[in-house]
Amino acid sequence: MRLILLGAPGAGKGTQAEILSKLLDIPTISTGNILRAAVKDGTPVGLEAKSFMDAGKLVPDSVIIEILRDRLSQPDCENGYILDGVPRTIPQAKAMEEMGIEIDCALSIEIEDETIVKRMSGRRTCHGCGASFHIVSNPPKVEGICDICGSQLEIRSDDAPETVKARLKTYHEETEPLLSFYSERNKLKSVENQSSIEKTTDVIRKALGI
């Protein structure tokens, strides 16, 4: 299955992508993680992206498409993939089509802005491997420590309330139009965010028929 996950920042796309990746045995491709790794390593694309990410703005399409093209050419993507965080704009979606990137379904996780602002204030991200946790819904086994690699957990600058609101404004203006884009292609499925990760996974599985 070739799947796109859509939804506002903080809707739970990354968490659900990892669950679906295991269920379907296909890789999750998160441009956010790739970009954060590039920022941490100080690569040219990382330095270019950092100023946009810190301000809660979208990274330019040219940077995203370059990263995506490289990643999808790797062997583990031959049987399908889950895209988390791309496309974020209509031009990106059109560029993907022009690149011949086939999509079976675009799944949108619907959630209120107010809920997102509250949720993201509790999110913690691993400084080492980029894994994401939440102090309420998905806490680490040891407070402040990553379950996966043992590195310190931190609050990302783009999870601060002011930045979250800026990111939501950007989402509604630039990313939300993708719902109509994929609906016109009969590839859009929408699910309501549920009270727990497990319940949200259940409604997603029903929507996808898996």
Side-chain angles (χ1 to χ4, degrees), residues 34-73:
I34 296 172
L35 285 170
R36 281 188 287 276
V39 169
K40 181 182 176 183
D41 294 340
T43 65
V45 70
L47 294 174
E48 183 180 356
K50 187 176 188 302
S51 61
F52 293 92
M53 294 169 67
D54 287 347
K57 296 181 180 179
L58 295 177
V59 176
D61 289 351
S62 58
V63 178
I64 297 296
I65 297 302
E66 179 183 347
I67 288 174
L68 185 61
R69 180 186 288 115
D70 290 344
R71 182 65 183 88
L72 293 183
S73 67

mmCIF file of all heavy atoms in Angstrom, residues 34-73:
data_model
loop_
_atom_site.group_PDB
_atom_site.id
_atom_site.type_symbol
_atom_site.label_atom_id
_atom_site.label_comp_id
_atom_site.label_asym_id
_atom_site.label_seq_id
_atom_site.Cartn_x
_atom_site.Cartn_y
_atom_site.Cartn_z
ATOM 1 N N ILE A 34 13.672 13.317 8.707
ATOM 2 C CA ILE A 34 14.814 13.483 7.809
ATOM 3 C C ILE A 34 15.378 14.893 7.918
ATOM 4 O O ILE A 34 16.596 15.095 8.004
ATOM 5 C CB ILE A 34 14.416 13.183 6.348
ATOM 6 C CG1 ILE A 34 13.992 11.722 6.198
ATOM 7 C CG2 ILE A 34 15.578 13.487 5.396
ATOM 8 C CD1 ILE A 34 13.398 11.401 4.837
ATOM 9 N N LEU A 35 14.483 15.880 7.944
ATOM 10 C CA LEU A 35 14.915 17.270 8.041
ATOM 11 C C LEU A 35 15.579 17.558 9.384
ATOM 12 O O LEU A 35 16.619 18.232 9.440
ATOM 13 C CB LEU A 35 13.720 18.210 7.843
ATOM 14 C CG LEU A 35 13.221 18.361 6.407
ATOM 15 C CD1 LEU A 35 11.897 19.108 6.387
ATOM 16 C CD2 LEU A 35 14.246 19.081 5.542
ATOM 17 N N ARG A 36 14.984 17.029 10.482
ATOM 18 C CA ARG A 36 15.584 17.270 11.796
ATOM 19 C C ARG A 36 16.964 16.637 11.903
ATOM 20 O O ARG A 36 17.868 17.200 12.531
ATOM 21 C CB ARG A 36 14.654 16.760 12.902
ATOM 22 C CG ARG A 36 13.503 17.720 13.212
ATOM 23 C CD ARG A 36 12.727 17.293 14.436
ATOM 24 N NE ARG A 36 11.895 16.143 14.199
ATOM 25 C CZ ARG A 36 10.670 16.192 13.672
ATOM 26 N NH1 ARG A 36 10.158 17.351 13.322
ATOM 27 N NH2 ARG A 36 9.964 15.092 13.516
ATOM 28 N N ALA A 37 17.134 15.472 11.267
ATOM 29 C CA ALA A 37 18.452 14.838 11.247
ATOM 30 C C ALA A 37 19.446 15.708 10.492
ATOM 31 O O ALA A 37 20.606 15.857 10.908
ATOM 32 C CB ALA A 37 18.361 13.456 10.599
ATOM 33 N N ALA A 38 18.989 16.292 9.387
ATOM 34 C CA ALA A 38 19.862 17.158 8.593
ATOM 35 C C ALA A 38 20.238 18.418 9.371
ATOM 36 O O ALA A 38 21.378 18.891 9.307
ATOM 37 C CB ALA A 38 19.168 17.532 7.279
ATOM 38 N N VAL A 39 19.271 18.949 10.141
ATOM 39 C CA VAL A 39 19.549 20.125 10.975
ATOM 40 C C VAL A 39 20.582 19.778 12.044
ATOM 41 O O VAL A 39 21.548 20.518 12.272
ATOM 42 C CB VAL A 39 18.246 20.637 11.630
ATOM 43 C CG1 VAL A 39 18.549 21.674 12.707
ATOM 44 C CG2 VAL A 39 17.321 21.227 10.581
ATOM 45 N N LYS A 40 20.373 18.632 12.703
ATOM 46 C CA LYS A 40 21.285 18.199 13.760
ATOM 47 C C LYS A 40 22.698 17.987 13.224
ATOM 48 O O LYS A 40 23.690 18.337 13.890
ATOM 49 C CB LYS A 40 20.765 16.901 14.383
ATOM 50 C CG LYS A 40 21.626 16.363 15.517
ATOM 51 C CD LYS A 40 21.066 15.057 16.052
ATOM 52 C CE LYS A 40 21.975 14.470 17.116
ATOM 53 N NZ LYS A 40 21.481 13.147 17.597
ATOM 54 N N ASP A 41 22.798 17.428 12.018
ATOM 55 C CA ASP A 41 24.107 17.148 11.415
ATOM 56 C C ASP A 41 24.729 18.379 10.764
ATOM 57 O O ASP A 41 25.888 18.334 10.347
ATOM 58 C CB ASP A 41 23.978 16.031 10.367
ATOM 59 C CG ASP A 41 23.590 14.700 10.994
ATOM 60 O OD1 ASP A 41 23.787 14.549 12.222
ATOM 61 O OD2 ASP A 41 23.086 13.824 10.268
ATOM 62 N N GLY A 42 23.946 19.458 10.656
ATOM 63 C CA GLY A 42 24.477 20.685 10.073
ATOM 64 C C GLY A 42 24.734 20.601 8.579
ATOM 65 O O GLY A 42 25.605 21.299 8.050
ATOM 66 N N THR A 43 23.983 19.753 7.885
ATOM 67 C CA THR A 43 24.149 19.641 6.433
ATOM 68 C C THR A 43 23.617 20.903 5.750
ATOM 69 O O THR A 43 22.844 21.658 6.356
ATOM 70 C CB THR A 43 23.385 18.422 5.887
ATOM 71 O OG1 THR A 43 21.979 18.635 6.088
ATOM 72 C CG2 THR A 43 23.810 17.141 6.605
ATOM 73 N N PRO A 44 24.015 21.146 4.493
ATOM 74 C CA PRO A 44 23.509 22.330 3.788
ATOM 75 C C PRO A 44 21.982 22.402 3.756
ATOM 76 O O PRO A 44 21.402 23.459 4.011
ATOM 77 C CB PRO A 44 24.088 22.154 2.380
ATOM 78 C CG PRO A 44 25.352 21.394 2.597
ATOM 79 C CD PRO A 44 25.039 20.432 3.705
ATOM 80 N N VAL A 45 21.332 21.261 3.459
ATOM 81 C CA VAL A 45 19.867 21.271 3.415
ATOM 82 C C VAL A 45 19.293 21.482 4.806
ATOM 83 O O VAL A 45 18.252 22.122 4.979
ATOM 84 C CB VAL A 45 19.318 19.970 2.784
ATOM 85 C CG1 VAL A 45 19.539 18.780 3.703
ATOM 86 C CG2 VAL A 45 17.837 20.102 2.457
ATOM 87 N N GLY A 46 20.001 21.001 5.824
ATOM 88 C CA GLY A 46 19.570 21.202 7.199
ATOM 89 C C GLY A 46 19.633 22.657 7.611
ATOM 90 O O GLY A 46 18.702 23.185 8.240
ATOM 91 N N LEU A 47 20.720 23.324 7.270
ATOM 92 C CA LEU A 47 20.863 24.744 7.589
ATOM 93 C C LEU A 47 19.817 25.574 6.858
ATOM 94 O O LEU A 47 19.261 26.531 7.413
ATOM 95 C CB LEU A 47 22.274 25.218 7.210
ATOM 96 C CG LEU A 47 23.420 24.594 8.023
ATOM 97 C CD1 LEU A 47 24.768 25.032 7.460
ATOM 98 C CD2 LEU A 47 23.300 24.975 9.489
ATOM 99 N N GLU A 48 19.525 25.186 5.624
ATOM 100 C CA GLU A 48 18.514 25.903 4.841
ATOM 101 C C GLU A 48 17.131 25.744 5.464
ATOM 102 O O GLU A 48 16.328 26.673 5.503
ATOM 103 C CB GLU A 48 18.508 25.374 3.403
ATOM 104 C CG GLU A 48 17.535 26.100 2.480
ATOM 105 C CD GLU A 48 17.558 25.547 1.067
ATOM 106 O OE1 GLU A 48 18.377 24.648 0.787
ATOM 107 O OE2 GLU A 48 16.750 26.019 0.249
ATOM 108 N N ALA A 49 16.857 24.533 5.956
ATOM 109 C CA ALA A 49 15.536 24.238 6.498
ATOM 110 C C ALA A 49 15.327 24.806 7.907
ATOM 111 O O ALA A 49 14.203 25.113 8.304
ATOM 112 C CB ALA A 49 15.315 22.725 6.534
ATOM 113 N N LYS A 50 16.418 24.967 8.669
ATOM 114 C CA LYS A 50 16.303 25.292 10.092
ATOM 115 C C LYS A 50 15.539 26.590 10.356
ATOM 116 O O LYS A 50 14.677 26.641 11.251
ATOM 117 C CB LYS A 50 17.698 25.393 10.716
ATOM 118 C CG LYS A 50 17.660 25.560 12.243
ATOM 119 C CD LYS A 50 19.055 25.555 12.827
ATOM 120 C CE LYS A 50 19.023 25.520 14.350
ATOM 121 N NZ LYS A 50 18.287 26.669 14.924
ATOM 122 N N SER A 51 15.822 27.621 9.604
ATOM 123 C CA SER A 51 15.172 28.907 9.856
ATOM 124 C C SER A 51 13.659 28.821 9.633
ATOM 125 O O SER A 51 12.879 29.439 10.354
ATOM 126 C CB SER A 51 15.765 29.998 8.956
ATOM 127 O OG SER A 51 15.566 29.681 7.593
ATOM 128 N N PHE A 52 13.254 28.026 8.652
ATOM 129 C CA PHE A 52 11.824 27.854 8.391
ATOM 130 C C PHE A 52 11.165 27.050 9.510
ATOM 131 O O PHE A 52 10.086 27.398 9.990
ATOM 132 C CB PHE A 52 11.611 27.136 7.052
ATOM 133 C CG PHE A 52 12.023 27.945 5.857
ATOM 134 C CD1 PHE A 52 13.301 27.841 5.339
ATOM 135 C CD2 PHE A 52 11.135 28.820 5.242
ATOM 136 C CE1 PHE A 52 13.692 28.582 4.241
ATOM 137 C CE2 PHE A 52 11.512 29.569 4.147
ATOM 138 C CZ PHE A 52 12.793 29.464 3.636
ATOM 139 N N MET A 53 11.795 25.961 9.940
ATOM 140 C CA MET A 53 11.230 25.090 10.971
ATOM 141 C C MET A 53 11.105 25.828 12.305
ATOM 142 O O MET A 53 10.089 25.710 12.994
ATOM 143 C CB MET A 53 12.094 23.843 11.136
ATOM 144 C CG MET A 53 12.092 22.933 9.916
ATOM 145 S SD MET A 53 13.345 21.627 10.002
ATOM 146 C CE MET A 53 12.709 20.645 11.358
ATOM 147 N N ASP A 54 12.121 26.600 12.651
ATOM 148 C CA ASP A 54 12.104 27.321 13.921
ATOM 149 C C ASP A 54 10.971 28.340 13.984
ATOM 150 O O ASP A 54 10.447 28.636 15.063
ATOM 151 C CB ASP A 54 13.441 28.035 14.159
ATOM 152 C CG ASP A 54 14.558 27.066 14.524
ATOM 153 O OD1 ASP A 54 14.235 25.902 14.838
ATOM 154 O OD2 ASP A 54 15.727 27.475 14.490
ATOM 155 N N ALA A 55 10.599 28.886 12.824
ATOM 156 C CA ALA A 55 9.532 29.886 12.765
ATOM 157 C C ALA A 55 8.158 29.256 12.548
ATOM 158 O O ALA A 55 7.155 29.957 12.456
ATOM 159 C CB ALA A 55 9.827 30.882 11.645
ATOM 160 N N GLY A 56 8.117 27.913 12.475
ATOM 161 C CA GLY A 56 6.852 27.235 12.254
ATOM 162 C C GLY A 56 6.344 27.339 10.831
ATOM 163 O O GLY A 56 5.155 27.156 10.564
ATOM 164 N N LYS A 57 7.246 27.655 9.899
ATOM 165 C CA LYS A 57 6.861 27.784 8.498
ATOM 166 C C LYS A 57 7.226 26.514 7.726
ATOM 167 O O LYS A 57 8.012 25.690 8.189
ATOM 168 C CB LYS A 57 7.567 28.990 7.874
ATOM 169 C CG LYS A 57 7.165 30.322 8.484
ATOM 170 C CD LYS A 57 7.884 31.483 7.808
ATOM 171 C CE LYS A 57 7.474 32.809 8.430
ATOM 172 N NZ LYS A 57 8.186 33.956 7.791
ATOM 173 N N LEU A 58 6.646 26.375 6.542
ATOM 174 C CA LEU A 58 6.937 25.212 5.716
ATOM 175 C C LEU A 58 8.305 25.325 5.056
ATOM 176 O O LEU A 58 8.714 26.407 4.627
ATOM 177 C CB LEU A 58 5.870 25.061 4.621
ATOM 178 C CG LEU A 58 4.447 24.746 5.095
ATOM 179 C CD1 LEU A 58 3.501 24.712 3.914
ATOM 180 C CD2 LEU A 58 4.415 23.420 5.829
ATOM 181 N N VAL A 59 8.995 24.199 4.997
ATOM 182 C CA VAL A 59 10.270 24.141 4.279
ATOM 183 C C VAL A 59 9.969 24.218 2.779
ATOM 184 O O VAL A 59 8.980 23.649 2.313
ATOM 185 C CB VAL A 59 11.013 22.830 4.622
ATOM 186 C CG1 VAL A 59 12.291 22.700 3.816
ATOM 187 C CG2 VAL A 59 11.305 22.775 6.120
ATOM 188 N N PRO A 60 10.781 24.930 1.992
ATOM 189 C CA PRO A 60 10.516 25.093 0.558
ATOM 190 C C PRO A 60 10.343 23.760 -0.181
ATOM 191 O O PRO A 60 10.999 22.763 0.144
ATOM 192 C CB PRO A 60 11.759 25.831 0.056
ATOM 193 C CG PRO A 60 12.260 26.580 1.241
ATOM 194 C CD PRO A 60 11.970 25.690 2.424
ATOM 195 N N ASP A 61 9.458 23.775 -1.167
ATOM 196 C CA ASP A 61 9.152 22.567 -1.924
ATOM 197 C C ASP A 61 10.394 21.919 -2.528
ATOM 198 O O ASP A 61 10.518 20.699 -2.552
ATOM 199 C CB ASP A 61 8.165 22.886 -3.061
ATOM 200 C CG ASP A 61 6.769 23.183 -2.532
ATOM 201 O OD1 ASP A 61 6.538 22.984 -1.324
ATOM 202 O OD2 ASP A 61 5.919 23.602 -3.328
ATOM 203 N N SER A 62 11.317 22.736 -3.023
ATOM 204 C CA SER A 62 12.496 22.196 -3.699
ATOM 205 C C SER A 62 13.309 21.300 -2.767
ATOM 206 O O SER A 62 13.838 20.264 -3.180
ATOM 207 C CB SER A 62 13.381 23.338 -4.226
ATOM 208 O OG SER A 62 13.770 24.193 -3.154
ATOM 209 N N VAL A 63 13.373 21.681 -1.483
ATOM 210 C CA VAL A 63 14.109 20.896 -0.495
ATOM 211 C C VAL A 63 13.373 19.583 -0.207
ATOM 212 O O VAL A 63 13.977 18.505 -0.173
ATOM 213 C CB VAL A 63 14.302 21.694 0.810
ATOM 214 C CG1 VAL A 63 15.030 20.854 1.858
ATOM 215 C CG2 VAL A 63 15.068 22.976 0.537
ATOM 216 N N ILE A 64 12.059 19.679 -0.030
ATOM 217 C CA ILE A 64 11.248 18.497 0.269
ATOM 218 C C ILE A 64 11.309 17.482 -0.865
ATOM 219 O O ILE A 64 11.504 16.280 -0.640
ATOM 220 C CB ILE A 64 9.777 18.900 0.524
ATOM 221 C CG1 ILE A 64 9.671 19.808 1.750
ATOM 222 C CG2 ILE A 64 8.896 17.656 0.687
ATOM 223 C CD1 ILE A 64 10.069 19.160 3.049
ATOM 224 N N ILE A 65 11.124 17.943 -2.089
ATOM 225 C CA ILE A 65 11.088 17.035 -3.242
ATOM 226 C C ILE A 65 12.437 16.352 -3.444
ATOM 227 O O ILE A 65 12.515 15.164 -3.776
ATOM 228 C CB ILE A 65 10.673 17.789 -4.524
ATOM 229 C CG1 ILE A 65 9.241 18.337 -4.370
ATOM 230 C CG2 ILE A 65 10.742 16.880 -5.737
ATOM 231 C CD1 ILE A 65 8.196 17.284 -4.084
ATOM 232 N N GLU A 66 13.510 17.077 -3.205
ATOM 233 C CA GLU A 66 14.853 16.497 -3.334
ATOM 234 C C GLU A 66 15.041 15.352 -2.334
ATOM 235 O O GLU A 66 15.541 14.270 -2.674
ATOM 236 C CB GLU A 66 15.910 17.574 -3.093
ATOM 237 C CG GLU A 66 17.337 17.062 -3.184
ATOM 238 C CD GLU A 66 18.366 18.139 -2.880
ATOM 239 O OE1 GLU A 66 17.999 19.331 -2.845
ATOM 240 O OE2 GLU A 66 19.538 17.779 -2.660
ATOM 241 N N ILE A 67 14.614 15.576 -1.094
ATOM 242 C CA ILE A 67 14.729 14.549 -0.061
ATOM 243 C C ILE A 67 13.847 13.350 -0.397
ATOM 244 O O ILE A 67 14.263 12.190 -0.276
ATOM 245 C CB ILE A 67 14.320 15.129 1.306
ATOM 246 C CG1 ILE A 67 15.388 16.100 1.812
ATOM 247 C CG2 ILE A 67 14.118 14.015 2.346
ATOM 248 C CD1 ILE A 67 14.999 16.831 3.070
ATOM 249 N N LEU A 68 12.634 13.616 -0.841
ATOM 250 C CA LEU A 68 11.683 12.548 -1.140
ATOM 251 C C LEU A 68 12.152 11.673 -2.293
ATOM 252 O O LEU A 68 12.068 10.439 -2.239
ATOM 253 C CB LEU A 68 10.313 13.153 -1.470
ATOM 254 C CG LEU A 68 9.175 12.166 -1.695
ATOM 255 C CD1 LEU A 68 8.929 11.339 -0.436
ATOM 256 C CD2 LEU A 68 7.908 12.888 -2.109
ATOM 257 N N ARG A 69 12.654 12.292 -3.330
ATOM 258 C CA ARG A 69 13.118 11.538 -4.505
ATOM 259 C C ARG A 69 14.223 10.552 -4.118
ATOM 260 O O ARG A 69 14.201 9.379 -4.518
ATOM 261 C CB ARG A 69 13.635 12.500 -5.583
ATOM 262 C CG ARG A 69 14.125 11.789 -6.836
ATOM 263 C CD ARG A 69 14.768 12.750 -7.818
ATOM 264 N NE ARG A 69 13.781 13.602 -8.462
ATOM 265 C CZ ARG A 69 13.707 14.922 -8.310
ATOM 266 N NH1 ARG A 69 14.547 15.548 -7.502
ATOM 267 N NH2 ARG A 69 12.807 15.632 -8.948
ATOM 268 N N ASP A 70 15.150 11.004 -3.313
ATOM 269 C CA ASP A 70 16.250 10.142 -2.870
ATOM 270 C C ASP A 70 15.736 8.975 -2.035
ATOM 271 O O ASP A 70 16.159 7.829 -2.206
ATOM 272 C CB ASP A 70 17.267 10.951 -2.060
ATOM 273 C CG ASP A 70 18.064 11.931 -2.906
ATOM 274 O OD1 ASP A 70 18.044 11.780 -4.144
ATOM 275 O OD2 ASP A 70 18.687 12.836 -2.337
ATOM 276 N N ARG A 71 14.815 9.274 -1.130
ATOM 277 C CA ARG A 71 14.336 8.239 -0.209
ATOM 278 C C ARG A 71 13.524 7.157 -0.919
ATOM 279 O O ARG A 71 13.667 5.960 -0.632
ATOM 280 C CB ARG A 71 13.493 8.899 0.895
ATOM 281 C CG ARG A 71 12.973 7.912 1.956
ATOM 282 C CD ARG A 71 14.130 7.301 2.728
ATOM 283 N NE ARG A 71 13.657 6.303 3.694
ATOM 284 C CZ ARG A 71 13.475 5.018 3.407
ATOM 285 N NH1 ARG A 71 13.714 4.564 2.176
ATOM 286 N NH2 ARG A 71 13.064 4.174 4.331
ATOM 287 N N LEU A 72 12.658 7.548 -1.847
ATOM 288 C CA LEU A 72 11.783 6.574 -2.514
ATOM 289 C C LEU A 72 12.538 5.692 -3.508
ATOM 290 O O LEU A 72 12.011 4.674 -3.953
ATOM 291 C CB LEU A 72 10.635 7.290 -3.236
ATOM 292 C CG LEU A 72 9.617 7.997 -2.349
ATOM 293 C CD1 LEU A 72 8.498 8.594 -3.186
ATOM 294 C CD2 LEU A 72 9.052 7.062 -1.295
ATOM 295 N N SER A 73 13.761 6.060 -3.828
ATOM 296 C CA SER A 73 14.562 5.252 -4.755
ATOM 297 C C SER A 73 15.227 4.069 -4.047
ATOM 298 O O SER A 73 15.807 3.198 -4.697
ATOM 299 C CB SER A 73 15.638 6.120 -5.420
ATOM 300 O OG SER A 73 16.599 6.551 -4.458
#
